[in-house]
Amino acid sequence: MIGSPSAPDRLALLPDALLVGRAVDGDTAAFEALARRHGPVMRASARRLTGSSADADDVVQEALVQAWKQLDTLRDPEAVRGWLLRITGSRSIDHLRRRKLHTPLDGLEERLESPPAGRSNPESAAVRMSGTEALKAALDRLPEEQRRCWVLRQFNDQSYEEIAQTLNISAASVRGRLARARITLAREMEEWR
Amino acid sequence: MSSTNNRLECGRSLEELSEYLDTGEISDPGHVAACPECQAALDSIGRLATLEAELRDQEITEAGSGSDDWMQSILNNLRLELRPGRDIPLQPEHPGDVLVETEGAILALIRSVTDAVPGATTGRCRLLGDVSEPGAAITVDAQVAVFFGEPIAAVAEDVRTEIAAVLERQTELNIAAINVTVVDVLTQPEPPAQEGNQ
């Protein structure tokens, strides 16, 4: 190598579009900087969609491999975050489909393995749930197809059209499921208040 | 929210109002603005939205920082394919030998010398022209970001000079032009603390 490899600290300062340009040219360090920057939201989204921390990390890894391969197809390099989240959404849904095929006897979706800290603590279990705790519980009670729409909208910030593509349903179905999810959640949250 | 069949007594459906919050579009905005029922429903979905955003932020924080071990372990498993690009022939010392360097290697060279220019950093870089044809005229297009406070024209000129020098030294390309485009001005050359999230 001539000169020093791209210093990670320096790359962490660069805007997305510049990192995308370098990564398209083959700079793996620039791609890793993008992964570090957007990894946490990808992981959070994949955890919500798959309901499993272990599966979520597999999904993030698959999504990053796909992103590296397809990076030159990204038309607007500034929009890389949304693009990574769309890939994360698709990979999560694929993961769920595969899991369903492999566990035909168990129709129930496994939920996040680790309950939130507050819930496992007997002392605070008696205390009133926080708003976000109550929302989590309400989300867990939603029908699976509504919850998927909700996550793709709220966590991945996808448009109705994009959600429709990810889930292979019509935009009108997305609109309906999302509305039903919100109505249910809003009612449950009013009761919680 | 009081409603039957998810339709308010005023006739609006909750679907329409939910979409209105996402897109800002609804068939009769005048009605919605004046209708107490619609406003109450929007308030309710709006309060939910605040909580939803709070949950999202909380779970992103819980996911950990991109500089933590979990991400390192994912990155270690990635094994990203190289991007060699086109083969660029070199004149062999012995006739009959075939010598090539890859476009990807040359782009990496360009990045390494331009990153060493104080005040600048390179983005996308392209070799335009038929690099596989010895002697063909090649134009270099380089995108550069300059740190705030640096003299842009002087930095761009330094970048140009460095690219010319490294290509002269390391390749046999016939460089017709080197275009340097300053695409961004960056603030904060030295961050006080590194942060995983943007």
Side-chain angles (χ1 to χ4, degrees):
Chain A
M1 281 298 285
I2 292 180
S4 58
S6 323
D9 289 356
R10 187 188 178 92
L11 289 172
L13 295 174
L14 301 186
D16 282 351
L18 220 66
L19 290 174
V20 168
R22 293 176 75 109
V24 168
D25 283 349
D27 186 357
T28 51
F31 184 75
E32 292 186 357
L34 284 170
R36 290 181 194 285
R37 186 175 291 169
H38 302 300
V41 67
M42 293 168 75
R43 193 187 204 196
S45 158
R47 282 180 171 181
R48 268 271 147 231
L49 283 167
T50 64
S52 149
S53 300
D55 286 357
D57 283 10
D58 288 348
V59 163
V60 171
Q61 187 171 319
E62 283 174 28
L64 288 172
V65 169
Q66 183 180 344
W68 172 257
K69 284 184 184 152
Q70 299 178 348
L71 202 57
D72 59 344
T73 66
L74 173 60
R75 276 197 223 130
D76 177 8
E78 282 175 29
V80 67
R81 184 185 184 87
W83 183 72
L84 288 170
L85 282 170
R86 281 202 295 285
I87 296 177
T88 305
S90 304
R91 293 278 68 78
S92 299
I93 299 302
D94 281 357
H95 211 85
L96 289 171
R97 287 195 185 120
R98 286 203 299 270
R99 199 166 70 190
K100 206 171 165 188
L101 287 178
H102 291 138
T103 52
L105 295 178
D106 183 10
L108 292 173
E109 297 287 347
E110 108 195 50
R111 303 307 308 156
L112 275 174
E113 295 116 349
S114 50
R119 224 182 276 174
S120 55
N121 179 342
E123 223 169 289
S124 66
V127 179
R128 192 165 178 271
M129 276 198 285
S130 73
T132 50
E133 287 295 312
L135 178 57
K136 275 190 210 178
L139 276 168
D140 285 348
R141 288 191 293 271
L142 280 185
E144 181 64 29
E145 80 269 15
Q146 287 182 25
R147 184 168 53 238
R148 288 180 189 179
C149 284
W150 182 91
V151 178
L152 293 172
R153 177 69 210 148
Q154 299 302 137
F155 274 61
N156 295 26
D157 204 22
Q158 292 186 15
S159 70
Y160 290 10
E161 281 298 335
E162 289 165 350
I163 297 171
Q165 276 181 20
T166 302
L167 296 178
N168 204 18
I169 57 177
S170 70
S173 302
V174 173
R175 182 176 177 262
R177 288 178 190 183
L178 200 51
R180 283 196 296 281
R182 282 176 176 156
I183 292 159
T184 307
L185 294 174
R187 282 193 183 125
E188 295 210 18
M189 295 320 292
E190 309 255 292
E191 280 167 25
W192 164 80
R193 280 189 179 89
Chain B
M1 269 187 285
S2 67
S3 61
T4 45
N5 298 327
N6 295 332
R7 192 167 282 279
L8 300 173
E9 278 167 34
C10 69
R12 293 287 139 196
S13 75
L14 291 168
E15 269 190 30
E16 284 175 279
L17 293 175
S18 158
E19 185 175 24
Y20 178 55
L21 280 181
D22 283 328
T23 64
E25 283 167 27
I26 197 158
S27 57
D28 188 358
H31 163 87
V32 174
C35 170
E37 268 194 275
C38 285
Q39 286 303 312
L42 284 175
D43 281 352
S44 175
I45 305 177
R47 276 195 300 276
L48 172 66
T50 307
L51 204 52
E52 287 170 337
E54 203 183 306
L55 177 64
R56 176 179 190 269
D57 291 347
Q58 182 184 315
E59 295 198 345
I60 292 172
T61 306
E62 283 167 9
S65 153
S67 44
D68 290 349
D69 289 350
W70 68 275
M71 178 51 81
Q72 192 55 55
S73 124
I74 286 175
L75 292 176
N76 291 346
N77 286 332
L78 283 187
R79 299 188 214 303
L80 303 175
E81 294 160 20
L82 294 177
R83 303 199 204 280
R86 297 172 286 180
D87 278 347
I88 302 175
L90 291 169
Q91 198 70 46
E93 214 168 300
H94 303 286
D97 288 359
V98 177
L99 265 184
V100 294
E101 52 191 346
T102 65
E103 188 176 19
I106 290 175
L107 297 181
L109 270 178
I110 292 177
R111 280 196 300 274
S112 73
V113 296
T114 53
D115 281 350
V117 173
T121 232
T122 326
R124 180 115 207 238
C125 190
R126 285 165 141 168
L127 304 177
L128 306 174
D130 187 359
V131 291
S132 63
E133 181 62 36
I138 303 299
T139 296
V140 180
D141 262 0
Q143 295 184 341
V144 167
V146 175
F147 285 104
F148 183 78
E150 301 285 340
I152 290 178
V155 169
E157 186 51 39
D158 287 350
V159 166
R160 223 192 67 85
T161 308
E162 287 297 330
I163 293 175
V166 77
L167 292 180
E168 172 69 29
R169 202 163 58 233
Q170 306 277 343
T171 77
E172 294 167 5
L173 293 171
N174 169 24
I175 302 300
I178 298 174
N179 302 322
V180 174
T181 309
V182 177
V183 292
D184 214 335
V185 175
L186 308 176
T187 47
Q188 270 190 308
E190 297 301 329
Q194 200 188 328
E195 189 52 59
N197 251 316
Q198 205 180 14

